Amino acid sequence: MQLNVYMAGEIHTDWRENIIAACEGLAIEWYSPVTDHAASDDCGVEIFGAEDSKFWHDRKGASLNAVRTRTAIARSDVVVVCFGEKYKQWNAAFDAGYAAALGKPLIVLQLPEHDHALKEIDAAANAVARTPSEVARALKYVVAGKL
């Protein structure tokens, strides 16, 4: 089975690379947001011109990034959303909700200490993983049907 997997969420650690490496050899096409923080923040003003207001600077970038995110989530068969320990990731929560609204199967990656804060997202998820290894094992099972 071929899967298209979108990996949303935290961009400051190597969780994506760990999952991709553990799934090497499987028929998976990977999608993700732009993980270069500066490029993601500044893409709108770099392409469409500077803004005096930080609000509009951010709005231009967010709007352009949404083109990539919405397209990739729509193309995906499965969406993995990682909530890291350091940052409040409102964008990850939005991506999870968007994926759920589209009926996309959802795997959430989070630490146990975030269980209460993410209870509604977890309720919409098909699986809640604690480590990138668990996500990789779940994807291997989905693709190959073997433990």
Side-chain angles (χ1 to χ4, degrees):
M1 176 187 308
Q2 165 77 37
L3 280 184
N4 295 316
V5 177
Y6 183 77
M7 295 198 292
E10 194 271 318
I11 66 168
H12 300 285
T13 63
D14 61 356
W15 68 273
R16 286 180 182 83
E17 293 80 7
N18 291 336
I19 293 170
I20 292 169
C23 291
E24 187 174 342
L26 295 176
I28 299 177
E29 182 78 23
W30 303 100
Y31 302 102
S32 71
V34 172
T35 58
D36 176 329
H37 204 164
S40 177
D41 284 351
D42 297 336
C43 64
V45 295
E46 280 290 320
I47 295 169
F48 301 116
E51 290 291 340
D52 293 332
S53 164
K54 180 68 171 146
F55 175 85
W56 292 110
H57 175 113
D58 288 346
R59 176 75 181 263
K60 277 186 176 179
S63 295
L64 185 55
N65 284 319
V67 173
R68 178 186 178 95
T69 301
R70 290 178 190 170
T71 301
I73 290 174
R75 288 183 181 164
S76 295
D77 302 306
V78 175
V79 175
V80 176
V81 183
C82 176
F83 292 91
E85 61 184 291
K86 187 173 180 183
Y87 300 98
K88 291 180 176 77
Q89 292 134 47
W90 311 123
N91 59 324
F94 185 86
D95 290 350
Y98 186 69
L102 293 176
K104 301 294 180 174
L106 187 60
I107 299 172
V108 174
L109 174 58
Q110 70 188 55
L111 298 171
E113 53 264 31
H114 295 142
D115 287 351
H116 179 72
L118 296 174
K119 64 186 177 293
E120 285 82 6
I121 292 172
D122 292 347
N126 296 89
V128 177
R130 303 302 188 184
T131 67
S133 176
E134 288 179 356
V135 173
R137 290 184 69 206
L139 292 172
K140 287 179 185 179
Y141 178 78
V142 170
V143 171
K146 297 178 183 176
L147 294 175

